[in-house]
Amino acid sequence: MTTIAVDAMGGDHAPRAEVEGAILAARELGVRILLVGIEATVRQELSRHGHRGLPIEIVNATDVITMSDSPSQAFRRKKESSVHVAARLVRDGKAEALVSAGNTGAVMTVARFVLGTLAAVDRPALAAAFPNMKEKVTVILDVGANVDSKAEQIEQFAVMGEIYYRTIWGTKRPRVALLSIGEEEMKGNELTREAAARLKQLSLNFVGNVEGRDVFRGDVDVIVCDGFIGNIALKISEGLVEHIGAMLKKAIKSSLKSQVGYVLSKDAFDSFRKRTDSSEYGGAPLLGVRGITIIGHGRSNALAIKNAIRVASELCRSRFNEKIEQELSAAALAARG
Amino acid sequence: MGRDLAANFPESKAVFDAADSALGFSITQTCFEGSEEALKLTENTQPAILTVSTAAYRALEKQGIVPDFVAGHSLGEYSALVAAGGVDFSAAVKLVRARGKYMQEAVPAGQGAMAAILGLSPTEVADICKKAAENETVSPANLNSPEQTVISGSAAAVKRAVEIASQSGAKRAVILPVSAPFHCALMMPAQRRLEHDLRATQFNALKIPLITNVDAQAISTGEEARDALIRQVTAPVGWLDSIREMIESGVTVFVEVGPGKVLTGLLRQIDRSVRVFNVEDSATLNSTMEKLAQARAEVREP
C-alpha cells in the first residue's frame, strides 16, 4: 500500500480540509496516510470524523510554517515544522510522497533541499494543469520553481512534463510545445531559440512554439517555459478567472432580466465553475525531486486534498521518478563519451 | 563545476593547477566559467570531467577513505585509473583531451547517432541491433542497467533500431543529442590514434583493483589497464556487469565521485539493496562522510 505524508497544517483551511481530504483518500483510493502536524490539533480534528479502521496515522510536528514566512527562513529556522517532518518521512523511506497545501515557496525549498533532486535533474519544476477547450488539460511547467532557467533545464522540464502527462492523463505521445511569442522559430528571445533547438533533437513529440493565447486552445498537451514566464502566465490566468467571475456576478445582479437568465443557465455556470476549479486537479507536482511532492493551493478544500493525494499515489505506483532518471541518465552518460 | 572543491581543498586546487599546466591552457576557467557550449565540446568535456572527478577524489582520499574497488563509466575509467595510481593525472588529462578530439573526428557530423532503449533487456537490444544493421553499423554502446541500454552506430541504422525497438515493446526508444556515435565500430579510427598515445604513456601497477568496462573483471597491472582503455573506444561499456561483479565481490556501499549523480540513480535501478552516496563538492563530501560513518557503525554492530 502506498504511504503518503500529508502536511496537516499547510492550507488556509488546515487542519480541517487536510483531515477530511485524507479520510476521503484513505477510504476511496486505498492509500495509507500519515497526517503530519501538531498532534493535539490534528487528533481533535480527526476525532470529529468517522475514521475507524482506515489506514490513517498522526505524526507529530511541533512547528508550523505560515503563509507569511519567507521560504529560506522557513527552511532554515523551522526544522521541526510539519513540512520538514513530512519531507524527512519521505527522505527516510517511511512515506513515498509528500502532499502540502502550505506556503508554496517554503514547501518547494524544503522538498528540494531535504529530498534532493533526481540524478540528471539540475532543477525541479512546478507543473500546473490548465483546463482547455478540448475538455482536457494542458500542463505548463515550470510555473515558478525557478526564476532563471537555462535551455538545458527547459529540455529537462520537457522530458519530465511529458512523462507526467503520459502517467496521469494516459496519452501515449503527448504533444510538447515551447511557450514563446510566435509560432515561427525565429521569434522569441535567446533562451527560447536555444531551447527550441534542443527540443527538436529529442525524440519527444515536439510540435514547436505556441503563444500565450494557445494555452487554452487544447492543441498541445505539455507546454514548457522558464519559471519566471510560467509563473506570470499562471497568475494572470488565475486572476482572470477570479475577476471574470466577480464581474459576471456584478452584471447579473444589475437587472431582473439578467437574474432570471442566470437562474435558467445555472447548470452551465456550475459546470463551467467545476471545469475552472483548481480543486478538481489536485495541486501542482514539483517534478524532479527525489520523492513525489504535490503542492496544493492554499485555498484547497477536502476535495482538492483528496485529488492531490490521488495524483501523488498514481505517480508513486507508476514509478514516475524512475522513468525520469532512466531517460535523463541515458542522455547524460552517452554525451560524456 | 568544481569551483567549490578548489576553494575548499588545497589537494583539489592542486589538481586544477596540474590540469592547466599539462594542457597548456586553463581548463579550470572552462570548468568554472565556461559557457555550456564550450563545455559541450567533447574535447573540453572529457578533460573537464576528469579534472573535477579527480579533484573530488583527492578531497575524499584526504578524509582517509580508501576504496576496495574502483570503476568508471567510459571516460570515467580514466578517473578510476588515476585514483588507483595506474597513470599519472597529468598524463591522463592529456590523453582524454586527445581522446575527445579523436572521437569527435572519427565520424563526420551527422553521420552517426546514439539512442537510448528503455524497458528491454540487453540481449533483446542486441538482437534488435542485428536486425536493424542491414550492413551498416549499430550495436549496444552502454549497458547501463537491466532496463537501460544505449546503442550507437550510423544514423540510419540507429533510426531503424529505434523503430524496431518501439514495435518490440520497448517502453521508450529515443535518439540522444550527442555529437558522435561513441563505443561502436565506427570509432576505429579514434581507437588507432589513441592506441598510439596510450602506448607512449607510462602505466604503473594499480594500488586498487579496477573493474574494466570491456570485460567487467578486476585488473591490477598497468599493461591490462592500457589494453582496456584501447579496446574501450569501440567496445560497449559493460556497466551493469561491472556493478554486478563488485556486488558479487561483496561491495555494499558505492560512492560516485565527480560531477552529477547520474551513476547514483543508475545504481538504484540495478540493485536497491546497496547504498550509494556521491561526492561532487564540499556539501556532498560532508554528508557522504557522515553516511559512511553510519554505514560503518552498522557493520560493526550487526
Side-chain angles (χ1 to χ4, degrees):
Chain A
M1 191 183 274
T2 311
T3 301
I4 294 170
V6 176
D7 168 16
M9 315 304 288
D12 301 343
H13 308 297
R16 170 177 286 193
E18 278 75 1
V19 169
E20 286 179 9
I23 290 172
L24 289 175
R27 194 174 286 149
E28 296 170 23
L29 307 172
V31 291
R32 177 171 164 253
I33 306 283
L34 304 178
L35 275 170
V36 186
I38 303 205
E39 193 168 354
T41 316
V42 181
R43 191 168 300 286
Q44 191 185 8
E45 182 61 38
L46 198 56
S47 69
R48 297 172 359 101
H49 306 271
H51 65 279
R52 194 174 298 243
L54 289 176
I56 299 179
E57 289 158 44
I58 298 173
V59 176
N60 188 37
T62 52
D63 209 345
V64 174
I65 293 174
T66 67
M67 292 294 181
S68 55
D69 282 331
S70 91
S72 59
Q73 289 201 345
F75 170 66
R76 277 184 279 122
R77 300 205 184 142
K78 294 196 167 176
K79 302 266 187 208
E80 295 311 316
S81 73
S82 51
V83 182
H84 276 90
V85 173
R88 288 200 291 265
L89 287 170
V90 176
R91 184 194 65 192
D92 299 339
K94 292 181 180 116
E96 286 171 70
L98 157 65
V99 171
S100 175
N103 179 327
T104 304
V107 179
M108 285 195 299
T109 308
V110 173
R112 179 171 166 202
F113 292 107
V114 172
L115 300 176
T117 52
L118 293 173
V121 172
D122 291 343
R123 298 290 177 87
L126 195 62
F130 290 67
N132 65 36
M133 290 299 291
K134 303 273 166 72
E135 305 288 312
K136 291 207 167 125
V137 300
T138 300
V139 165
I140 302 190
L141 72 165
D142 171 29
V143 295
N146 308 281
V147 180
D148 292 305
S149 305
K150 292 180 184 164
E152 196 173 343
Q153 290 157 1
I154 291 181
E155 184 184 329
Q156 295 172 2
F157 298 166
V159 172
M160 296 194 289
E162 202 252 7
I163 300 174
Y164 173 56
Y165 203 94
R166 272 194 277 141
T167 308
I168 301 296
W169 288 280
T171 308
K172 269 220 161 125
R173 287 220 7 108
R175 295 155 298 181
V176 180
L178 175 69
L179 189 59
S180 184
I181 52 165
E183 286 180 20
E184 301 82 354
E185 247 177 69
M186 287 318 293
K187 286 197 178 169
N189 57 17
E190 211 176 303
L191 179 67
T192 56
R193 285 200 298 268
E194 199 191 330
R198 283 168 169 275
L199 289 169
K200 264 195 287 185
Q201 287 190 8
L202 296 180
S203 311
L204 294 174
N205 186 6
F206 178 58
V207 295
N209 295 354
V210 292
E211 295 182 49
R213 64 173 181 185
D214 300 321
V215 168
F216 298 96
R217 202 191 292 271
D219 292 337
V220 298
D221 303 310
V222 178
I223 298 177
V224 287
C225 57
D226 68 87
F228 186 76
I229 299 297
N231 189 265
I232 291 173
L234 175 69
K235 295 291 165 64
I236 288 181
S237 311
E238 286 182 349
L240 186 67
V241 170
E242 218 168 279
H243 286 99
I244 283 195
M247 285 184 233
L248 267 177
K249 220 175 251 174
K250 218 167 154 188
I252 288 164
K253 278 190 184 151
S254 68
S255 80
L256 182 64
K257 203 164 99 187
S258 55
Q259 284 185 38
V260 171
Y262 171 74
V263 172
L264 291 176
S265 41
K266 192 169 174 304
D267 284 358
F269 277 104
D270 285 349
S271 115
F272 172 76
R273 196 173 298 133
K274 203 174 168 203
R275 295 241 331 118
T276 55
D277 179 2
S278 59
S279 57
E280 294 290 326
Y281 302 98
L286 183 66
L287 306 180
V289 289
R290 203 182 305 152
I292 301 297
T293 302
I294 311 287
I295 305 177
H297 206 290
R299 290 197 302 263
S300 289
N301 55 20
L303 175 66
I305 298 289
K306 183 195 83 176
N307 279 328
I309 295 171
R310 177 179 55 77
V311 170
S313 76
E314 282 175 26
L315 292 178
C316 293
R317 277 175 209 163
S318 70
R319 297 174 164 254
F320 177 71
N321 278 345
E322 277 179 42
K323 287 182 190 164
I324 292 178
E325 285 197 327
Q326 287 262 11
E327 281 199 26
L328 291 176
S329 65
L333 281 177
R336 286 184 186 181
Chain B
M1 60 182 180
R3 190 196 285 269
D4 171 90
L5 288 167
N8 286 298
F9 309 104
E11 50 281 354
S12 303
K13 171 79 169 55
V15 174
F16 284 95
D17 293 343
D20 291 350
S21 68
L23 294 171
F25 71 95
S26 179
I27 191 78
T28 302
Q29 205 178 348
T30 313
C31 287
F32 290 2
E33 302 152 23
S35 66
E36 270 180 60
E37 288 317 306
L39 269 174
K40 272 233 132 79
L41 282 174
T42 308
E43 56 185 272
N44 287 339
T45 315
Q46 302 209 5
I49 292 179
L50 173 68
T51 302
V52 176
S53 303
T54 306
Y57 183 78
R58 295 293 177 230
L60 181 67
E61 191 181 45
K62 181 82 180 171
Q63 302 282 326
I65 299 297
V66 184
D68 297 304
F69 290 97
V70 290
H73 189 288
S74 183
L75 162 74
E77 191 156 291
Y78 287 81
S79 313
L81 191 61
V82 169
V87 69
D88 180 55
F89 170 73
S90 297
V93 79
K94 279 193 271 188
L95 282 171
V96 299
R97 168 90 173 165
R99 181 178 180 269
K101 184 167 177 284
Y102 300 159
M103 286 164 78
Q104 196 59 61
E105 289 170 357
V107 180
Q111 291 191 10
M114 294 179 82
I117 313 289
L118 308 181
L120 292 177
S121 72
T123 358
E124 285 171 311
V125 175
D127 288 345
I128 287 169
C129 287
K130 272 180 207 144
K131 269 187 227 158
E134 299 180 12
N135 295 321
E136 289 187 289
T137 301
V138 58
S139 54
N142 297 173
L143 304 160
N144 287 337
S145 81
E147 294 213 324
Q148 184 194 111
T149 302
V150 170
I151 61 171
S152 183
S154 67
V158 169
K159 203 165 168 235
R160 285 195 294 273
V162 163
E163 276 157 25
I164 299 175
S166 303
Q167 290 156 12
S168 317
K171 279 192 212 145
R172 293 285 270 173
V174 292
I175 306 274
L176 299 173
V178 295
S179 55
F182 304 133
H183 300 292
C184 74
L186 298 177
M187 283 289 129
M188 195 44 99
Q191 177 162 325
R192 289 208 192 92
R193 291 170 81 186
L194 189 65
E195 175 171 3
H196 177 265
D197 292 11
L198 284 164
R199 297 222 179 272
T201 303
Q202 191 192 328
F203 281 71
N204 315 312
L206 278 51
K207 293 180 196 128
I208 306 166
L210 180 146
I211 309 291
T212 64
N213 286 181
V214 283
D215 298 318
Q217 291 295 323
I219 59 160
S220 57
T221 71
E223 195 43 52
E224 288 169 313
R226 180 190 283 125
D227 174 65
L229 291 178
I230 294 169
R231 289 193 287 139
Q232 191 216 52
V233 181
T234 54
V237 176
W239 191 247
L240 172 60
D241 285 344
S242 300
I243 296 294
R244 284 185 172 155
E245 173 65 22
M246 286 186 269
I247 292 173
E248 273 167 33
S249 306
V251 175
T252 53
V253 176
F254 289 81
V255 181
E256 176 174 5
V257 181
K261 295 173 298 184
V262 174
L263 298 175
T264 305
L266 220 48
L267 247 156
R268 287 199 207 102
Q269 290 163 26
I270 296 173
D271 191 332
R272 290 197 156 269
S273 69
V274 297
R275 269 179 276 199
V276 203
F277 313 126
N278 81 307
V279 176
E280 57 181 324
D281 52 22
S282 51
T284 47
L285 177 67
N286 290 338
S287 78
T288 292
M289 288 309 296
E290 271 173 39
K291 289 171 191 159
L292 284 173
Q294 276 172 19
R296 278 204 186 125
E298 282 168 30
V299 171
R300 266 186 231 118
E301 33 185 310

